[in-house]
Amino acid sequence: MIRWRVPKRVLIATLSSIALYFFLSSGYREYELSGVLPHTKPEDVWDFLADFSHMKRLNPTILDFKVVSESGYRNDWKYTVSYEEKLSHWPYTYNQGVGHYMVTKLSDANGGVYSVASKHRTCFLSGFYCPQAEGEFTIRRINDHDTLVTELVRYTCPFFFGSFCRREVEYQRHEIMRKLKEHFEHLRHQKIQAGRG
């Protein structure tokens, strides 16, 4: 009878790999946020959100970025961007991300429905761990004067860091929406002042 012996180091390495896989793996989680921008046109909001240089202004965690490639035309435009980011709750933790953006006009009905969708791969620990995320801004008119912006984010997160990931996603999304509202409110006041001059 042959008896198989597994070296102790191989057994430890195998069990450690399995434990690490379960520690880092997870399914997708979702987060959705909506905001109304008074007295704005959906197309203007869409143009603003489509430009990643504006996203750097809206999202305080993005430090730097570079457009890697782009193709298409205004109503169906795609581009890829690489960016460096720091986490808001762990400010000394930096990561490198790659985002693939799809900018499309979905419909002409009721003042237009617009989309800025993206897929991201964000790497930590020198590329050792790279969670995935998907996001989409949907922009549409809701009455004669106002625009509704809805952002849906789907993201992966290790099981043991669920609450941390949720806080990070909430912080970024709320900051983006807050600054987006401030930007268009500021533009509206400028137009009012210009009209009085």
Side-chain angles (χ1 to χ4, degrees):
M1 188 183 239
I2 298 175
R3 190 169 179 185
W4 292 95
R5 286 182 49 116
V6 178
K8 193 173 186 178
R9 283 179 292 181
V10 173
L11 183 61
I12 290 172
T14 303
L15 292 175
S16 297
S17 297
I18 292 170
L20 187 63
Y21 171 79
F22 283 107
F23 181 76
L24 295 178
S25 65
S26 71
Y28 277 92
R29 301 162 193 248
E30 288 190 358
Y31 185 75
E32 186 175 49
L33 181 66
S34 295
V36 175
L37 280 60
H39 303 284
T40 58
K41 296 178 181 176
E43 189 170 0
D44 293 341
V45 179
W46 178 56
D47 284 337
F48 186 80
L49 287 172
D51 186 338
F52 197 84
S53 65
H54 296 150
M55 188 55 66
K56 184 183 175 188
R57 289 169 47 196
L58 296 174
N59 187 343
T61 66
I62 295 174
L63 302 173
D64 200 10
F65 76 96
K66 180 173 75 173
V67 175
V68 177
S69 66
E70 60 182 313
S71 63
Y73 52 94
R74 186 170 185 272
N75 288 349
D76 188 12
W77 176 37
K78 296 178 183 176
Y79 67 89
T80 297
V81 62
S82 65
Y83 55 92
E84 183 181 10
E85 188 178 32
K86 67 175 181 177
L87 300 180
S88 64
H89 292 86
W90 283 354
Y92 302 108
T93 304
Y94 294 84
N95 59 70
Q96 299 292 325
V98 175
H100 303 282
Y101 280 79
M102 295 140 287
V103 180
T104 51
K105 184 175 185 179
L106 302 176
S107 169
D108 287 317
N110 301 319
V113 180
Y114 303 87
S115 168
V116 178
S118 58
K119 293 184 178 182
H120 300 261
R121 184 173 187 263
T122 308
C123 292
F124 298 86
L125 306 171
S126 300
F128 176 72
Y129 177 60
C130 299
Q132 311 287 319
E134 300 171 358
E136 183 175 18
F137 287 100
T138 306
I139 305 119
R140 60 171 43 95
R141 184 178 299 285
I142 55 171
N143 54 42
D144 290 340
H145 306 288
D146 303 334
T147 294
L148 175 68
V149 178
T150 301
E151 185 182 17
L152 175 63
V153 177
R154 298 178 68 242
Y155 61 96
T156 60
C157 181
F159 175 76
F160 293 104
F161 292 111
S163 62
F164 169 78
C165 293
R166 176 82 177 190
R167 276 197 329 246
E168 189 67 28
V169 168
E170 286 179 358
Y171 169 77
Q172 289 185 25
R173 283 24 266 172
H174 281 274
E175 280 296 293
I176 290 168
M177 193 65 73
R178 180 181 69 79
K179 290 183 176 182
L180 186 65
K181 289 178 180 180
E182 283 180 359
H183 171 78
F184 280 96
E185 183 68 18
H186 180 70
L187 284 183
R188 191 165 73 86
H189 283 302
Q190 281 184 326
K191 288 179 183 176
I192 290 169
Q193 294 298 328
R196 289 176 181 166

